[in-house]
Amino acid sequence: MTITSFMLAAAAAAPAFDAEAATQAYLSTLQGAARVKSDAYFEGGYWLPLWGALVAIVSYWLMLRFRWSAKWSAWAGRVTKRRWLQPGLYSIPFALVGALITLPWTIYVSYVREHQYGLSNQSFAEWAKELGIATGVGLVVGVIFFIILYAVIRKSPKRWWLWGTGAVTALLAVMIMLAPLFIEPLFNKYTPMQAGPVRDEILRIAHEQKIPANDVYVVDASKQTKRISANVAGLGPTIRIALNDNLLNRSNIHGIKAVMGHEMGHYKLYHIQKLLAYLAVMALIGFAIVAWAAPRILARHGEQWGVREVADPASAPLLQGLLTVLLVPAGILFNSIIRHHESEADAFGLNAAQEPDGFAMTAMQLSEYRKIEPAAWEEMLFYDHPSGRTRVKMAMDWKAAHLGELPPDQRAPMVMTPDKPAE
């Protein structure tokens, strides 16, 4: 028998596999109260960006209306005569007061709502401590950002939007590079994974994909949340492969390999670099609109606000408010960009890990807090990841197309769960 005829005979003998039926079998595992809860949580989140933008705009309006912003700018001018430093000083009360005004909203979204749906493991004290750390990091970044932005505005009043885009993009790139080393460890402990089959399989896939990493780290995310997650973070020398302990404890080796293959896809497909490019374009458009609108608004209202010009740090609430308005529609576009990247990483991960049922199982776990079967318009407008149904269907279509490449015990239709990996 020739090799070709042998392969044809093997394919004919393989069990029939219906990708749509297999998809429905997975989807049927999320039913009843659990599905209602998942849908309610995710649908409630549709309006959070809009309400969050309105809360932020109100805070900026208060700063201008009661001339707090002008007073902070004057205070910074009294503290130092170095004009380049004044915006950095101004940013401190600007950030602190803004955080205080929006604190009730922050508490509701990040603490109360997460506990209502059983997704958080933190006490209020633990949550507040991390909020304090995040606020401190934000203050440092804000000082740097304000110094750079207003230096650009002073040096080039007519083209600051162009040079400002370059400065912001460079700052974002530095933040992405430094975050794994200096920021993320402020919130979580990263521990090298112990030697064993799981670590060996992750590194095997990484090395097959020529990812320059020889360690895998476990993040103690269970102290904060019940969500599963992983990433290949950093740029250049700061690259790091990590998975959280929820994924390690709630999944099996099939699901872990599927997730890590997906995350490696983001790295290999240069999604971080592409997102930086997209953000740069969006910043360019946003800054250009703000540069056009802000002087016109100040000409009409600047005197009553005590704001002389765009180059005055006191203009920050106006600039931020305009950007916040623009971010609402931009967020929909950005969701589509990220969703496309996630779909690309899904396809990459299926090819790299060859774990379609592990991938489908993980998609079902993620659907514990993501509406699993949205309408097409919902997925287009509100999803920054493919829906659970989309992901399970992709995995089952991949399985149907590559059935002969899988181990014999994984070719038949099955519903894989963490405690029943191959049934």
Side-chain angles (χ1 to χ4, degrees):
M1 180 181 289
T2 66
I3 294 177
T4 301
S5 60
F6 177 81
M7 292 176 64
L8 290 173
F17 185 82
D18 186 332
E20 182 59 36
T23 299
Q24 292 301 323
Y26 271 106
L27 298 183
S28 67
T29 63
L30 182 66
Q31 296 293 340
R35 185 159 182 164
V36 171
K37 181 180 177 182
S38 171
D39 288 356
Y41 175 79
F42 201 79
E43 289 171 356
Y46 292 170
W47 303 105
L48 292 183
L50 177 60
W51 289 116
L54 291 174
V55 169
I57 290 169
V58 167
S59 72
Y60 299 141
W61 177 82
L62 290 172
M63 294 176 190
L64 294 171
R65 171 65 179 78
F66 293 103
R67 300 174 73 102
W68 299 338
S69 187
K71 292 176 182 177
W72 298 332
S73 182
W75 166 78
R78 291 193 300 271
V79 171
T80 180
K81 298 304 179 184
R82 294 184 176 91
R83 196 177 181 192
W84 67 269
L85 186 57
Q86 291 170 5
L89 289 175
Y90 166 91
S91 72
I92 297 173
F94 172 78
L96 290 175
V97 173
L100 186 62
I101 294 172
T102 59
L103 182 60
W105 176 251
T106 303
I107 292 173
Y108 169 71
V109 172
S110 300
Y111 180 79
V112 174
R113 191 168 184 268
E114 293 298 295
H115 278 80
Q116 285 177 339
Y117 287 91
L119 295 174
S120 176
N121 293 330
Q122 289 184 304
S123 67
F124 185 78
E126 291 168 335
W127 176 85
K129 178 183 177 182
E130 291 195 355
L131 178 63
I133 295 172
T135 301
V137 172
L139 283 175
V140 174
V141 175
V143 168
I144 297 170
F145 172 75
F146 271 64
I147 288 174
I148 294 174
L149 180 63
Y150 279 94
V152 171
I153 293 174
R154 290 195 308 273
K155 294 292 184 181
S156 183
K158 293 184 178 180
R159 293 186 176 84
W160 68 263
W161 52 275
L162 180 60
W163 308 118
T165 298
V168 168
T169 304
L171 183 60
L172 280 173
V174 171
M175 289 292 296
I176 292 172
M177 184 176 294
L178 297 181
L181 297 179
F182 300 107
I183 298 177
E184 293 170 7
L186 296 174
F187 300 93
N188 292 97
K189 184 178 180 181
Y190 286 75
T191 306
M193 178 182 284
Q194 294 182 354
V198 175
R199 180 179 181 276
D200 290 346
E201 281 296 288
I202 294 172
L203 289 178
R204 178 187 62 79
I205 298 172
H207 293 158
E208 284 180 354
Q209 302 305 322
K210 296 180 171 56
I211 294 177
N214 293 310
D215 289 301
V216 180
Y217 292 87
V218 179
V219 190
D220 61 341
S222 60
K223 71 178 187 179
Q224 295 143 334
T225 182
K226 297 178 181 177
R227 302 170 192 256
I228 61 176
S229 183
N231 61 68
V232 179
L235 288 172
T238 66
I239 182 174
R240 180 179 61 198
I241 297 176
L243 67 160
N244 73 15
D245 54 353
N246 290 322
L247 176 61
L248 192 62
N249 296 329
R250 294 190 58 200
S251 194
N252 56 38
I253 192 167
H254 303 282
I256 293 171
K257 286 168 61 180
V259 171
M260 300 314 297
H262 166 94
E263 296 301 330
M264 292 174 196
H266 286 307
Y267 175 83
K268 292 293 293 184
L269 298 171
Y270 302 103
H271 284 164
I272 293 178
Q273 293 88 336
K274 291 177 181 178
L275 282 178
L276 271 174
Y278 294 136
L279 286 171
V281 172
M282 294 173 71
L284 181 66
I285 296 171
F287 280 166
I289 294 173
V290 170
W292 174 85
R296 289 163 172 78
I297 295 174
L298 287 179
R300 186 170 182 177
H301 301 286
E303 185 174 349
Q304 70 185 80
W305 293 338
V307 183
R308 303 183 302 275
E309 56 183 349
V310 174
D312 181 358
S315 67
L318 174 61
L319 305 187
Q320 294 273 37
L322 290 171
L323 288 173
T324 300
V325 171
L326 295 173
L327 281 173
V328 174
I332 296 174
L333 173 62
F334 201 58
N335 280 349
S336 295
I337 292 171
I338 297 176
R339 190 172 63 251
H340 175 68
H341 283 181
E342 294 295 333
S343 185
E344 286 185 332
D346 288 349
F348 183 99
L350 284 166
N351 288 320
Q354 299 189 349
E355 292 285 356
D357 285 288
F359 186 87
M361 175 191 71
T362 303
M364 296 306 302
Q365 289 179 301
L366 293 171
S367 296
E368 294 171 3
Y369 48 85
R370 293 178 185 165
K371 186 176 181 180
I372 193 167
E373 289 191 273
W377 65 269
E378 288 179 282
E379 191 161 359
M380 180 181 70
L381 292 178
F382 300 116
Y383 279 63
D384 60 0
H385 286 65
S387 67
R389 190 195 191 287
T390 299
R391 295 181 119 170
V392 172
K393 183 63 164 59
M394 176 187 280
M396 295 300 98
D397 284 341
W398 187 96
K399 181 174 180 177
H402 298 82
L403 205 61
E405 302 171 22
L406 297 174
D409 63 339
Q410 294 184 36
R411 295 176 188 174
M414 68 176 77
V415 174
M416 183 177 287
T417 58
D419 58 333
K420 295 164 69 176
E423 181 175 289

